[in-house]
Amino acid sequence: VKFVEKKVNGITRIDTVQQLVVLKSGLTEIKVDRNKNIPNFCNNPGSLRRTSIKEVNDLAIGVIQAPSGEFLFFANKEHGFQALEIVLRKVYWNKTVEETINRFAPSFENNTLDYINKICSKLKCTSDTKIKDLNLKGLMEVIGNIEGFKNN
């Protein structure tokens, strides 16, 4: 399979299944300009980075380098949501909303209090509610919205 880069506003785009296969087996890093919406560009609603969880990394087809660091790149939004669910179940399942967001979206990158308040407002819970007691699909949608993912 010959890899053909398609540049859109100076950013490499991967638009076909063949190119995705090549990305998975060859090219592993794509530079993204600072104005791009990382969650949408990468099909990554949780703005997930490389992790020690093999299942999550294996779902990704590559990694992009953005001004704020590396992010996993998924072939489609379903894989992105599946990876987010794995992280929530394996890392945060028995933690509270507050504990989760303080680690998942740390204050040096996010307004954690605002993040927690948005989750609690949307899901009608408190910051002491455990992740396992929430509607997981609803939580993932709220996280995606906060991170800037547009689920079209």
Side-chain angles (χ1 to χ4, degrees):
V1 174
K2 183 178 177 189
F3 181 75
V4 179
E5 291 184 358
K6 179 181 177 186
K7 296 275 188 177
V8 177
N9 296 328
I11 298 164
T12 303
R13 293 296 306 225
I14 309 303
D15 291 328
T16 68
V17 174
Q18 285 182 325
Q19 290 172 335
L20 293 175
V21 170
V22 172
L23 180 64
K24 182 68 174 177
S25 62
L27 177 66
T28 58
E29 185 176 293
I30 299 170
K31 297 254 185 226
V32 178
D33 79 22
R34 68 183 60 231
N35 297 318
K36 266 302 186 198
N37 178 307
I38 300 300
N40 281 349
F41 181 80
C42 298
N43 295 307
N44 185 345
S47 295
L48 300 175
R49 300 172 187 266
R50 288 185 204 211
T51 174
S52 60
I53 304 170
K54 184 178 180 332
E55 295 165 87
V56 171
N57 294 334
D58 286 349
L59 278 170
I61 59 171
V63 176
I64 63 108
Q65 181 65 47
S68 55
E70 288 186 342
F71 293 89
L72 294 173
F73 192 119
F74 298 98
N76 54 53
K77 68 181 179 182
E78 291 77 18
H79 286 171
F81 277 113
Q82 185 179 353
L84 178 56
E85 180 175 354
I86 291 167
V87 168
L88 290 171
R89 287 183 184 277
K90 290 193 174 232
V91 179
Y92 301 108
W93 199 240
N94 289 307
K95 298 196 178 329
T96 65
V97 171
E98 183 174 8
E99 291 169 330
T100 297
I101 298 309
N102 281 326
R103 182 168 170 207
F104 181 83
S107 60
F108 63 87
E109 293 180 334
N110 299 275
N111 179 336
T112 53
L113 183 58
D114 188 50
Y115 209 120
I116 292 165
N117 288 338
K118 284 179 180 175
I119 288 172
C120 292
S121 174
K122 292 282 187 187
L123 299 180
K124 309 286 189 245
C125 66
T126 69
S127 61
D128 293 334
T129 304
K130 300 243 184 206
I131 298 301
K132 68 181 179 183
D133 295 328
L134 294 173
N135 173 317
L136 195 55
K137 185 173 190 257
L139 175 60
M140 292 190 303
E141 287 176 7
V142 172
I143 288 172
N145 288 336
I146 294 168
E147 292 293 336
F149 184 75
K150 292 172 182 43
N151 193 5
N152 303 351

